[in-house]
Amino acid sequence: MEKVYIENISNFSGTEVTIKGWLYNKRSSGKLWFLLIRDGTGMIQAVVSKGDVDEESFNNCEAITQESSLMVKGLVNPDKRAPGGYELHTKKLEIIQIAEDYPITPKEHGTTFLMDHRHLWLRSSRQYAILRVRQEIIKACRDYLDGEGFVLLDTPIFTPAACEGTTTLFETDYFGSKAYLTQSGQLYNEANAMAFGKVYCFGPTFRAEKSKTRRHLTEFWMVEPEVAFFDLNDNMDLAEEMVIYVVQQVLKNKSEELKTLERDTTFLEKVSKPFPRITYDEAAEILKDKGVDFEWGNDFGGTDETIISENFEKPVFIHHFPSKMKAFYMKRDPENENLALGCDLIAPEGYGEIIGGGQREDNLETIERRLEEDKLPRESFEWYIDLRKYGTVPHSGFGMGIERAVSWICKLPHVRETIPFPRMLYRITP
Amino acid sequence: MEKVYIENISNFSGTEVTIKGWLYNKRSSGKLWFLLIRDGTGMIQAVVSKGDVDEESFNNCEAITQESSLMVKGLVNPDKRAPGGYELHTKKLEIIQIAEDYPITPKEHGTTFLMDHRHLWLRSSRQYAILRVRQEIIKACRDYLDGEGFVLLDTPIFTPAACEGTTTLFETDYFGSKAYLTQSGQLYNEANAMAFGKVYCFGPTFRAEKSKTRRHLTEFWMVEPEVAFFDLNDNMDLAEEMVIYVVQQVLKNKSEELKTLERDTTFLEKVSKPFPRITYDEAAEILKDKGVDFEWGNDFGGTDETIISENFEKPVFIHHFPSKMKAFYMKRDPENENLALGCDLIAPEGYGEIIGGGQREDNLETIERRLEEDKLPRESFEWYIDLRKYGTVPHSGFGMGIERAVSWICKLPHVRETIPFPRMLYRITP
């Protein structure tokens, strides 16, 4: 008898199969037991009728507890009322292990308790749904970029210098010298783009920020494309197309998961071309109109972003930031030195920035001057300067934070549920 | 006039296009210039005839140097003699930037020099080919596992405890406590497998090993699948199928790159089912037969692996290792406590171990005893023990080192060429 996965159960209608998994829930009605069984690929209801099974199998139904492991043999029967459309008419039920006092019960638990039991919490249907949406988002980013001819090139995690500032870096001893954990693959992406044209990296990045907000993790994943000969507008076009593709793939392939999460998909369905594109000045004007006390030259805070996003039904690009707030590598507007050719993408529904990027400074003298102005050690950036010496070209790129994208698309209250084992200011376990 | 990528040039036969890229090489024959141009997606020869272009364009051919950036407008002409099958009959050539004294010339350079200029070395055709094969290998692993219904679940980089030993861990300060960089996602994969059935992680892993060999990096990428209800044989089946798929995809999609690398593909074409599977004892016997002084109970060294692999034309599994050499989580053979249900896959042609894995210990009492025997702090592993308490099931998994796979498939002399910016004992720059 074939051992099958629940996700494939429709291929076995009318035949006898074996399923191995865990008990999610059970209820009894006299001589009948209804067991909800999960195997990681899906859920199915096993109906156990006293007359159809041996005594041990029937007694096992009484004995079995939530999250006990088991093996069920039975006949796959189509049943419209059943979740998934099929039921298993049980012939035999073997217990692999009884789970005694499984700590996560259907009752309410506090966040700390659930986070302490993250390794088990993952088995709950809500966490299961979120992480399957996460997988779809990651796959959609990769598929989109691969399909457009981008070359995946993994940038290093250990870096000798910082990309932006040094206060938020995790440091490690590297055989007697200091190394830092990367905050972004961008600088290396730029070298790769000069060799491969269209490139991306996709890996974990790290920030030792002492922020305890619903948007911050110390370890988070970013997808970062970088393209030679792209200007700011090309860059926004690329980001727009990638985000649209990602949302469409989730809507298409993860509708069940979105239902589990009770996600109202109205806003997601509106994610289509074109996204509004406003300047920093226009964004500041929106804040002013709404009575926010915002000073020109500052970065937008989380609340500011929410207020700005309320003016739009789609993700909105903000571009042309004051150059003072942007890093040395961001190209200035040739028509106005005070503005930098950066672009952020703000998600709707108050989810804030999910993409940050822009056009890079490609002029040799300018990048040398910027490094000096920012008092950055030139010797650490010689290789980066080389990219402006040997066949420099205009180029642009961006980074999308995966956890923030998952948070928005699933409409979660906190980013901690977007990754299997989140790392935060006060959380490095389990 | 359309700006096109060289990879798509065949779609534009007979039409005028613009190409933006870099000069790879040039030669002249009186009133003709032959420019080899790369744009990251491919190479094309631009023919510049004095009569067809303005004076500035023709003079630009004289002025332009290796790796200078440029823009060429011209007519796409099919030409069987041309690399790629097309030539560009140039109408106009604009220089974006002259690269003066590009450091990497067609002459021979030493390894240190090339590694110091890794950010530029990537533009060379050999490095370009290797990293495109790397991309294909990564994509093939993901596509294979995604296609088999595996759920990608990123395991954490920051861990509070070590998976195997503590001497080879990179340590960092985590807001006042200690954190270590992961050496493997396995333990977390096990939690994920109990929730999602078939899972994998794919990310960077770290070893602070003071090894300076051609097989070691301090930062390397691993793909690690883990499956609930899989035993040792299922695990070897999975590894075998994945490796075959990966090799086939590279042969199919990256044949040009393998040609550039002058890779004899004879051995790669033999990678098919079934891979030989021998026990540790049988492997030791092979060594003994070949006169190697090998002591039972030791791990195989690089040279041992090479000698063993010479007996086979395909990758070979070695399984059933002495349990003393394996970690606490590896299941012992129920018929012989002295043997552990591990399996390594040894690549042919002297490339050594590319996969390590096995069946995990799933018994609660046994795992508790093992932790004690190995003097590991129980409190760090409580969550891991929970997996044996609440619905334990047999399960197995493995990890494949991407850089070693790339090394083997490209037949490289050293693993340092398998990743854009390798990190090694004496190398953390650029």
Side-chain angles (χ1 to χ4, degrees):
Chain A
M1 199 179 314
E2 207 166 349
K3 188 253 175 188
V4 302
Y5 285 111
I6 295 170
E7 63 183 347
N8 304 323
I9 206 76
S10 63
N11 302 333
F12 297 89
S13 184
T15 62
E16 261 191 41
V17 299
T18 298
I19 283 174
K20 295 178 177 183
W22 297 266
L23 184 72
Y24 196 71
N25 220 330
K26 69 174 184 180
R27 64 194 168 84
S28 141
S29 140
K31 289 181 180 172
L32 279 177
W33 277 101
F34 301 95
L35 311 178
L36 197 54
I37 294 170
R38 63 168 196 88
D39 73 349
T41 74
M43 291 246 208
I44 194 165
Q45 180 165 277
V47 183
V48 191
S49 171
K50 188 158 188 168
D52 292 347
V53 295
D54 57 69
E55 201 181 333
E56 194 187 343
S57 290
F58 198 78
N59 291 341
N60 281 343
C61 296
E62 180 70 44
I64 203 166
T65 55
Q66 188 191 350
E67 285 306 318
S68 293
S69 44
L70 51 82
M71 191 176 73
V72 188
K73 293 182 190 191
L75 187 69
V76 180
N77 264 4
D79 189 321
K80 278 180 190 153
R81 298 159 306 171
Y86 292 88
E87 271 189 353
L88 200 65
H89 279 226
T90 308
K91 304 280 167 122
K92 195 169 175 58
L93 187 149
E94 287 177 24
I95 292 173
I96 301 173
Q97 188 203 36
I98 291 282
E100 281 174 36
D101 304 321
Y102 185 69
I104 302 176
T105 57
K107 70 164 190 180
E108 287 277 316
H109 296 283
T111 300
T112 304
F113 179 86
L114 289 170
M115 290 299 288
D116 285 343
H117 293 85
R118 183 68 179 165
H119 53 293
L120 303 174
W121 190 23
L122 297 171
R123 304 181 187 185
S124 305
S125 59
R126 185 178 154 81
Q127 300 307 313
Y128 179 82
I130 293 168
L131 292 171
R132 283 173 66 101
V133 172
R134 175 190 170 94
Q135 176 202 28
E136 187 71 34
I137 290 170
I138 292 172
K139 186 168 157 48
C141 291
R142 290 185 176 271
D143 286 351
Y144 176 77
L145 294 171
D146 292 347
E148 295 291 314
F150 280 68
V151 182
L152 167 75
L153 291 159
D154 299 304
T155 50
I157 307 297
F158 286 133
T159 57
C163 180
E164 299 174 47
T166 54
T167 51
T168 57
L169 286 173
F170 286 104
E171 185 185 302
T172 188
D173 172 68
Y174 194 84
F175 307 109
S177 66
K178 278 183 191 174
Y180 303 94
L181 303 188
T182 184
Q183 295 196 319
S184 159
Q186 181 203 319
L187 304 192
Y188 292 98
N189 263 344
E190 292 183 56
N192 293 337
M194 300 303 127
F196 295 80
K198 299 172 279 185
V199 305
Y200 70 106
C201 62
F202 201 145
T205 52
F206 306 87
R207 288 199 191 186
E209 265 179 303
K210 287 204 171 165
S211 304
K212 196 171 173 266
T213 80
R214 63 188 178 88
R215 289 184 189 171
H216 283 89
L217 296 172
T218 56
E219 177 186 320
F220 56 100
W221 286 67
M222 275 219 286
V223 54
E224 299 178 74
E226 187 80 28
V227 191
F229 299 105
F230 260 30
D231 65 17
L232 179 64
N233 281 318
D234 297 326
N235 200 42
M236 288 194 276
D237 290 346
L238 176 68
E240 182 178 284
E241 280 176 26
M242 192 181 87
V243 168
I244 290 169
Y245 183 79
V246 166
V247 170
Q248 281 175 346
Q249 289 300 104
V250 173
L251 286 171
K252 196 173 91 185
N253 302 324
K254 291 293 177 277
S255 58
E256 279 307 313
E257 285 79 358
L258 294 177
K259 262 182 226 157
T260 300
L261 299 170
E262 298 174 337
R263 170 58 157 135
D264 175 356
T265 55
T266 315
F267 272 98
L268 296 180
E269 278 149 21
K270 285 180 183 153
V271 175
S272 59
K273 273 193 187 186
F275 292 174
R277 299 179 185 190
I278 61 173
T279 62
Y280 174 92
D281 285 1
E282 288 165 337
E285 201 62 35
I286 290 173
L287 291 177
K288 202 180 137 194
D289 287 351
K290 298 204 175 176
V292 179
D293 185 23
F294 179 79
E295 197 181 333
W296 196 93
N298 283 351
D299 209 347
F300 301 116
T303 317
D304 300 328
E305 287 173 349
T306 299
I307 292 167
I308 295 164
S309 74
E310 280 165 0
N311 261 28
F312 305 94
E313 291 201 316
K314 297 182 188 183
V316 53
F317 282 109
I318 304 176
H319 57 88
H320 280 81
F321 292 86
S323 38
K324 288 224 166 124
M325 51 183 278
K326 291 296 181 182
F328 73 95
Y329 51 71
M330 196 172 274
K331 194 174 178 67
R332 308 258 165 112
D333 185 350
E335 289 163 21
N336 183 350
E337 263 290 297
N338 295 321
L339 296 178
L341 299 179
C343 58
D344 288 355
L345 184 68
I346 312 297
E349 303 174 81
Y351 279 88
E353 182 191 329
I354 53 169
I355 281 179
Q359 190 169 339
R360 321 305 187 185
E361 181 53 64
D362 53 314
N363 181 275
L364 176 61
E365 290 73 30
T366 310
I367 207 87
E368 288 177 321
R369 198 176 64 239
R370 290 279 161 68
L371 284 165
E372 262 179 44
E373 284 167 5
D374 284 7
K375 297 189 175 55
L376 289 163
R378 185 184 162 113
E379 61 277 16
S380 302
F381 293 92
E382 281 297 351
W383 69 270
Y384 187 71
I385 294 169
D386 275 358
L387 306 177
R388 278 74 183 160
K389 254 187 210 165
Y390 304 116
T392 191
V393 303
H395 60 289
S396 302
F398 65 84
M400 183 170 91
I402 296 304
E403 287 74 17
R404 289 195 177 180
V406 176
S407 225
W408 160 51
I409 290 173
C410 292
K411 202 167 183 179
L412 305 179
H414 197 294
V415 78
R416 68 183 158 232
E417 292 181 59
T418 61
I419 188 166
F421 295 92
R423 297 302 184 234
M424 295 174 293
L425 181 51
Y426 299 115
R427 166 73 59 189
I428 196 184
T429 55
Chain B
M1 202 180 314
E2 207 166 348
K3 189 252 175 189
V4 302
Y5 285 112
I6 296 170
E7 66 183 347
N8 303 324
I9 206 75
S10 63
N11 301 334
F12 296 90
S13 184
T15 61
E16 261 190 41
V17 300
T18 298
I19 283 175
K20 295 178 178 182
W22 296 265
L23 184 72
Y24 197 71
N25 219 330
K26 69 174 185 181
R27 62 191 169 86
S28 140
S29 142
K31 288 180 178 170
L32 279 178
W33 277 100
F34 301 94
L35 312 178
L36 197 55
I37 294 170
R38 63 168 196 86
D39 74 348
T41 74
M43 291 245 209
I44 194 165
Q45 180 165 278
V47 182
V48 191
S49 172
K50 189 158 186 169
D52 292 347
V53 296
D54 57 66
E55 201 181 332
E56 195 188 342
S57 290
F58 198 76
N59 291 341
N60 281 343
C61 296
E62 179 71 44
I64 203 165
T65 55
Q66 190 192 350
E67 285 306 318
S68 292
S69 44
L70 51 83
M71 191 176 74
V72 188
K73 293 182 188 189
L75 188 69
V76 179
N77 264 3
D79 188 321
K80 278 181 189 152
R81 298 158 305 170
Y86 292 88
E87 271 188 353
L88 200 65
H89 279 226
T90 308
K91 305 280 168 121
K92 197 171 175 54
L93 187 149
E94 288 177 24
I95 293 174
I96 300 173
Q97 188 203 35
I98 291 283
E100 281 174 36
D101 304 321
Y102 186 70
I104 301 177
T105 57
K107 70 166 190 180
E108 286 277 316
H109 295 283
T111 301
T112 305
F113 179 86
L114 289 170
M115 290 299 288
D116 285 343
H117 293 85
R118 183 68 179 163
H119 53 294
L120 303 175
W121 190 23
L122 296 172
R123 304 181 188 185
S124 305
S125 58
R126 185 179 155 80
Q127 300 307 311
Y128 180 82
I130 293 168
L131 292 172
R132 283 171 67 100
V133 172
R134 175 189 170 93
Q135 176 201 28
E136 187 71 34
I137 290 170
I138 292 172
K139 185 168 157 51
C141 291
R142 291 185 176 271
D143 286 351
Y144 175 77
L145 294 169
D146 292 347
E148 294 291 314
F150 280 69
V151 182
L152 168 75
L153 292 159
D154 299 304
T155 49
I157 307 297
F158 287 132
T159 57
C163 180
E164 295 174 51
T166 53
T167 52
T168 57
L169 286 173
F170 286 103
E171 186 185 302
T172 189
D173 172 67
Y174 195 84
F175 306 109
S177 68
K178 277 182 191 175
Y180 302 95
L181 303 190
T182 185
Q183 294 196 319
S184 160
Q186 181 203 319
L187 303 192
Y188 292 98
N189 264 344
E190 292 183 55
N192 292 336
M194 300 303 127
F196 294 81
K198 300 173 278 185
V199 304
Y200 71 105
C201 63
F202 201 144
T205 53
F206 305 88
R207 286 198 194 188
E209 265 180 302
K210 288 204 170 164
S211 303
K212 196 171 172 268
T213 81
R214 63 188 179 87
R215 289 183 189 172
H216 283 88
L217 295 173
T218 56
E219 176 185 319
F220 56 100
W221 287 67
M222 275 219 287
V223 55
E224 298 178 76
E226 187 80 28
V227 190
F229 299 105
F230 260 30
D231 66 15
L232 179 64
N233 282 318
D234 297 326
N235 201 40
M236 289 194 274
D237 291 346
L238 177 67
E240 182 177 285
E241 280 176 24
M242 192 180 86
V243 168
I244 290 168
Y245 183 80
V246 166
V247 171
Q248 281 175 347
Q249 289 301 104
V250 173
L251 286 171
K252 196 173 89 183
N253 302 324
K254 291 292 178 276
S255 59
E256 280 306 313
E257 285 78 359
L258 294 176
K259 262 182 226 158
T260 300
L261 298 171
E262 298 175 336
R263 171 57 158 135
D264 175 355
T265 56
T266 316
F267 272 98
L268 296 180
E269 278 148 22
K270 285 179 183 154
V271 175
S272 59
K273 273 193 187 185
F275 293 174
R277 299 178 184 191
I278 62 173
T279 62
Y280 173 93
D281 286 1
E282 288 165 337
E285 201 61 36
I286 290 172
L287 290 177
K288 202 180 137 195
D289 287 351
K290 298 205 175 176
V292 179
D293 185 22
F294 178 80
E295 196 179 334
W296 196 94
N298 283 350
D299 209 347
F300 300 117
T303 316
D304 299 329
E305 287 173 348
T306 299
I307 292 167
I308 294 163
S309 75
E310 280 164 2
N311 261 29
F312 306 95
E313 291 201 314
K314 296 181 187 183
V316 53
F317 283 108
I318 304 177
H319 56 90
H320 280 82
F321 292 86
S323 38
K324 288 224 166 125
M325 52 184 278
K326 292 294 182 184
F328 73 95
Y329 51 72
M330 196 173 273
K331 194 172 177 69
R332 309 260 165 111
D333 184 350
E335 289 163 23
N336 183 350
E337 263 290 297
N338 295 321
L339 296 177
L341 300 180
C343 58
D344 288 354
L345 184 68
I346 311 297
E349 303 174 81
Y351 279 89
E353 182 192 329
I354 52 169
I355 280 179
Q359 190 168 341
R360 321 305 187 184
E361 181 52 64
D362 53 314
N363 181 275
L364 176 62
E365 289 73 30
T366 310
I367 207 87
E368 288 176 321
R369 198 176 66 239
R370 291 280 162 69
L371 283 166
E372 262 178 45
E373 285 168 4
D374 284 7
K375 297 188 174 56
L376 289 162
R378 185 184 162 114
E379 61 277 16
S380 302
F381 293 92
E382 281 297 350
W383 70 269
Y384 187 71
I385 294 169
D386 275 359
L387 306 177
R388 279 73 184 162
K389 254 187 209 164
Y390 305 115
T392 191
V393 304
H395 60 288
S396 303
F398 65 85
M400 181 170 91
I402 295 305
E403 287 75 18
R404 289 194 179 181
V406 176
S407 226
W408 160 51
I409 289 174
C410 293
K411 202 168 182 178
L412 305 180
H414 197 293
V415 79
R416 67 180 158 234
E417 293 180 60
T418 60
I419 187 166
F421 295 92
R423 296 301 185 234
M424 296 175 292
L425 182 51
Y426 299 115
R427 165 74 57 189
I428 196 185
T429 56

